[in-house]
Amino acid sequence: MPRKDLIQTDFLVIGSGIAGLCFALKVCDLGTVAIITKKDQAESNTNYAQGGIAAVLSSEDTFDLHIRDTLKGGLNLNRREAVETVVREGPERIRELISWGVPFSKRRGTADHDILDLGKEGGHSRNRIVHCSDMTGRELEKVLLDRVRECDNITMYEDHLAIDLVTEHHLPGQTPPPGGPIHCWGAYVLDEDSGGVKRFLAPWTLLASGGVGQLYSHTTNPPIATGDGLAMAYRAGAEIANLEFMQFHPTALYEPGKMAFLISEAVRGEGGILKLKDGTPFMKKYDPRADLAPRDVVARAIDHELKKSGDECVTLDVTHLGHDFLVKRFPNIYGQCLSHGIDAARMPIPVVPAAHYMCGGVVTDLNGRTAIRGLLACGEVAHTGVHGANRLASNSLLEALVFAHRAALGAREEDGGASEGTPQVPAWSDEGTFDSEEWIVISHDRAEIQLLMTDYVSIVRSEKRLQRARERIHIILREIDEFYRRSPVRAALIELRNLATVAELVVRCAQMRKESRGLHYTIDYPEQDDEHWLKDTVILSRGAGK
Ligand SMILES: Cc1cc2nc3c(=O)[nH]c(=O)nc-3n(C[C@H](O)[C@H](O)[C@H](O)COP(=O)(O)OP(=O)(O)OC[C@H]3O[C@@H](n4cnc5c(N)ncnc54)[C@H](O)[C@@H]3O)c2cc1C
């Protein structure tokens, strides 16, 4: 009789956003695929993407221009090979999405037939953003999930939350071979319905668990973005890099205490103007590209203006674009604003910067391989080197698409660790734990981490603030670790532990970089220092296991 807590599969995919779903679709002809996802299958950063996907698709654009824009945006910290790969292979991936049924928006072309409506966003020198009006992510998720449902080899496990990757650390009497590779054989996973922990074992595991926005008090990311994949990979012994480069989206709807609704960069691309509360435009003071400057420049400019004025928000004025245009081009944004009592055709939209996208992550090669054998990583959790010190708008969905495809190709050629066989992995043990009724600690610590990160580790940093954050996070981490060892696993506790781990890693990366570059700005080293810092901040661990 197969044990109910043991699921053996050929591919384990952690996450059902664009990276996980695309990978699953591309390997499902090779064997069985289990996708685990911690909430509803559509709940992901992907689902909320508005602006679109960047790719060279017009005769007025070239690969060289897209490469140049991306390198310029990333302040030359990008890995050039990764940028070239993502740019050159992008158009093919978009055509594939079209063939799968993604309904990208079109407009009437000169030869009287419909052509893709290519938008323009900050940092891009040409119109190259394919989009489904302003609901690109929702349409993408829908089409990908529909295709996944058609595939008999793929099983979706909703409300299944990965706790830890299974490595040598979990095998009785074993430690990872000194200097040799660590292996990943799957993951321990909490079934949130039953409360039990299952072993999902596979020769290949794909980490596609998305971002870390929940580290901060204001974020555009949904509640799932708690950095679980990063923390798991770190505990397992993977290489982590460049976490100091957290992108803050300059324009989230100002709504204290709520998940911040994003006002897409495309709104500025179409002519939206940032103004102070008294109606004065201010971006020209900070950058010749004014409202189309890259996100970090705009976020810092807003931060500066808010600190100076003491106001709680600035405004984004689109009233001159007219009601009909706004409703057609930005139906979702227009509707969302309206539901908050703001008619964007008649009044400016109040906006603030919010944590949006993590550029660093688990280090991978160009085929999604990590330093751990059998473990691949793609999408926002991965660090391929595409973004450097700052991500250009709409390059992230592209990165996820291209590298999910390449990871799948790689997995077709290698067997992960299948030929070596899967070891006997012990069942999860709750021994020595008890329900302590101190669960209030969880929400309290989570809020404290978010506040610490917002106050000390956000848009403008200093050595003193970083050190203060590190000391406090260290104390919180110790408390959480103790609590974790004493208590039966629950989703909130797993996420809290991961948030604290990632917070510490972000601070460590930020403390390593003694310069200001892209998204990392510190008042103690305000200049960019190419001589010493044209390199990644890398954190290595040999893994801590459970
Ligand atoms: C509001 C918003 C707008 C954006 N707009 C754009 C845009 O226009 N263009 C662009 O290029 N990028 C955009 N981005 C960024 C882009 O959407 C993300 O980088 C991308 O979707 C990440 O895809 P992913 O597959 O890596 O992760 P996600 O789509 O976030 O998926 C992660 C998945 O992992 C699951 N998961 C996480 N932890 C666990 C765990 N422990 N166990 C099991 N499952 C887990 C989640 O439930 C989820 O299913 C936007 C992001 C946001 C938040």
Side-chain angles (χ1 to χ4, degrees):
M1 272 286 277
R3 288 188 51 151
K4 272 210 216 128
D5 80 324
L6 178 63
I7 288 112
Q8 201 100 36
T9 181
D10 293 310
F11 297 91
L12 170 63
V13 174
I14 303 176
S16 58
I18 187 171
L21 296 178
C22 284
F23 177 85
L25 287 170
K26 282 162 186 260
V27 293
C28 64
D29 61 319
L30 295 179
T32 54
V33 183
I35 303 179
I36 60 165
T37 187
K38 70 180 179 182
K39 292 285 169 223
D40 172 271
Q41 52 189 295
E43 190 59 357
S44 57
N45 278 6
T46 302
N47 204 38
Y48 295 89
Q50 296 176 353
I53 315 178
V56 176
L57 292 159
S58 104
S59 55
E60 281 150 35
D61 199 2
T62 65
F63 289 147
D64 282 346
L65 283 173
H66 191 181
I67 291 168
R68 200 190 63 189
D69 292 343
T70 303
L71 293 174
K72 190 169 170 205
L75 279 305
N76 290 321
L77 200 69
N78 325 59
R79 184 171 164 210
R80 192 177 174 106
E81 228 185 328
V83 175
E84 292 199 355
T85 302
V86 94
V87 167
R88 290 181 195 284
E89 296 184 10
E92 206 180 322
R93 299 280 68 80
I94 300 293
R95 284 191 279 274
E96 185 172 59
L97 287 180
I98 293 170
S99 76
W100 287 354
V102 178
F104 289 120
S105 300
K106 296 200 166 155
R107 65 177 174 83
R108 196 101 289 225
T110 42
D112 213 24
H113 59 268
D114 287 344
I115 56 171
L116 285 172
D117 180 30
L118 299 176
K120 192 169 175 194
E121 294 187 340
H124 290 281
S125 59
R126 292 288 184 279
N127 284 49
R128 61 168 75 104
I129 318 293
V130 285
H131 58 95
C132 307
S133 66
D134 59 354
M135 288 170 281
T136 309
R138 203 181 309 170
E139 295 292 349
L140 264 176
E141 249 327 276
K142 187 172 166 302
V143 169
L144 294 174
L145 283 171
D146 283 348
R147 288 191 76 87
V148 159
R149 269 181 225 112
E150 284 164 14
C151 190
D152 291 339
N153 257 355
I154 303 179
T155 311
M156 177 77 72
Y157 295 84
E158 291 184 309
D159 300 313
H160 277 63
L161 188 155
I163 305 169
D164 260 320
L165 298 168
V166 173
T167 60
E168 278 88 352
H169 301 98
H170 300 92
L171 307 182
Q174 274 209 42
T175 48
I182 298 172
H183 294 76
C184 174
W185 292 290
Y188 285 110
V189 178
L190 175 68
D191 175 344
E192 292 195 58
D193 287 336
S194 71
V197 176
K198 299 174 179 168
R199 290 163 292 172
F200 279 75
L201 301 184
W204 282 117
T205 300
L206 174 80
L207 208 48
S209 50
V212 306
Q214 291 294 325
L215 274 180
Y216 292 88
S217 307
H218 298 287
T219 179
T220 61
N221 292 189
I224 54 102
T226 51
D228 299 352
L230 261 177
M232 285 192 286
Y234 170 70
R235 285 195 290 272
E239 220 172 283
I240 311 289
N242 286 13
L243 300 190
E244 69 275 32
F245 297 122
M246 178 78 209
Q247 185 170 65
F248 285 76
H249 198 288
T251 54
L253 185 63
Y254 174 64
E255 251 196 312
K258 300 240 176 82
M259 175 183 149
F261 177 72
L262 177 75
I263 309 294
S264 163
E265 191 142 13
V267 174
R268 280 181 288 123
E270 297 288 0
I273 301 169
L274 282 163
K275 295 182 174 174
L276 300 177
K277 268 188 160 175
D278 68 5
T280 317
F282 58 87
M283 274 313 300
K284 272 213 177 99
K285 270 195 307 194
Y286 293 92
D287 194 284
R289 290 163 288 187
D291 293 279
L292 284 179
R295 285 179 182 177
D296 59 318
V297 177
V298 179
R300 254 196 327 274
I302 297 176
D303 191 66
H304 189 77
E305 291 295 337
L306 291 180
K307 286 198 171 116
K308 214 166 60 174
S309 65
D311 289 341
E312 61 290 350
C313 61
V314 294
T315 64
L316 182 60
D317 190 355
V318 290
T319 50
H320 54 289
L321 299 180
H323 173 269
D324 293 352
F325 175 83
L326 290 173
V327 170
K328 183 157 186 288
R329 178 67 179 90
F330 301 113
N332 187 28
I333 294 173
Y334 184 77
Q336 285 283 344
C337 287
L338 211 51
S339 72
H340 290 88
I342 300 153
D343 180 352
R346 297 158 61 96
M347 58 181 84
I349 309 167
V351 291
V352 281
H356 186 53
Y357 182 83
M358 172 48 82
C359 292
V362 182
V363 177
T364 69
D365 68 8
L366 295 183
N367 292 318
R369 277 182 301 220
T370 69
I372 297 181
R373 193 155 151 67
L375 179 68
L376 302 163
C378 283
E380 193 163 339
V381 72
H383 170 71
T384 61
V386 164
H387 307 300
N390 193 1
R391 171 191 74 128
L392 273 202
S394 295
N395 266 356
S396 43
L397 290 171
L398 182 71
E399 182 198 29
L401 273 176
V402 167
F403 287 101
H405 175 77
R406 293 179 71 86
L409 287 183
R412 300 182 87 85
E413 284 164 18
E414 275 184 57
D415 73 351
S419 54
E420 296 155 35
T422 310
Q424 287 287 329
V425 175
W428 183 262
S429 165
D430 266 350
E431 229 178 79
T433 65
F434 61 97
D435 218 331
S436 69
E437 293 177 25
E438 286 171 21
W439 292 91
I440 184 70
V441 172
I442 305 282
S443 54
H444 185 270
D445 279 359
R446 187 165 171 147
E448 194 175 342
I449 293 169
Q450 290 172 333
L451 213 60
L452 270 173
M453 294 300 285
T454 304
D455 286 346
Y456 300 142
V457 200
S458 61
I459 297 169
V460 177
R461 300 163 181 179
S462 74
E463 292 283 287
K464 210 160 148 189
R465 288 180 205 170
L466 291 176
Q467 188 53 28
R468 186 170 291 184
R470 185 157 177 182
E471 282 161 16
R472 299 204 174 166
I473 290 165
H474 192 71
I475 296 170
I476 298 174
L477 247 179
R478 223 179 32 220
E479 281 171 11
I480 295 171
D481 236 39
E482 262 172 43
F483 193 69
Y484 183 80
R485 280 171 207 290
R486 283 189 275 121
S487 314
V489 281
R490 283 198 196 168
L493 177 56
I494 296 165
E495 289 185 346
L496 175 66
R497 183 176 176 235
N498 291 334
L499 279 170
T501 303
V502 177
E504 202 216 9
L505 296 176
V506 172
V507 175
R508 279 170 65 188
C509 284
Q511 285 186 314
M512 269 188 248
R513 187 169 290 285
K514 307 290 185 198
E515 64 157 356
S516 289
R517 183 186 296 269
L519 301 167
H520 175 69
Y521 182 80
T522 163
I523 52 176
D524 293 308
Y525 303 96
E527 303 300 326
Q528 189 170 311
D529 176 2
D530 280 351
E531 200 179 320
H532 300 102
W533 278 106
L534 209 50
K535 61 184 175 199
D536 295 336
T537 52
V538 178
I539 294 180
L540 282 171
S541 84
R542 280 301 285 166
K546 191 175 163 183

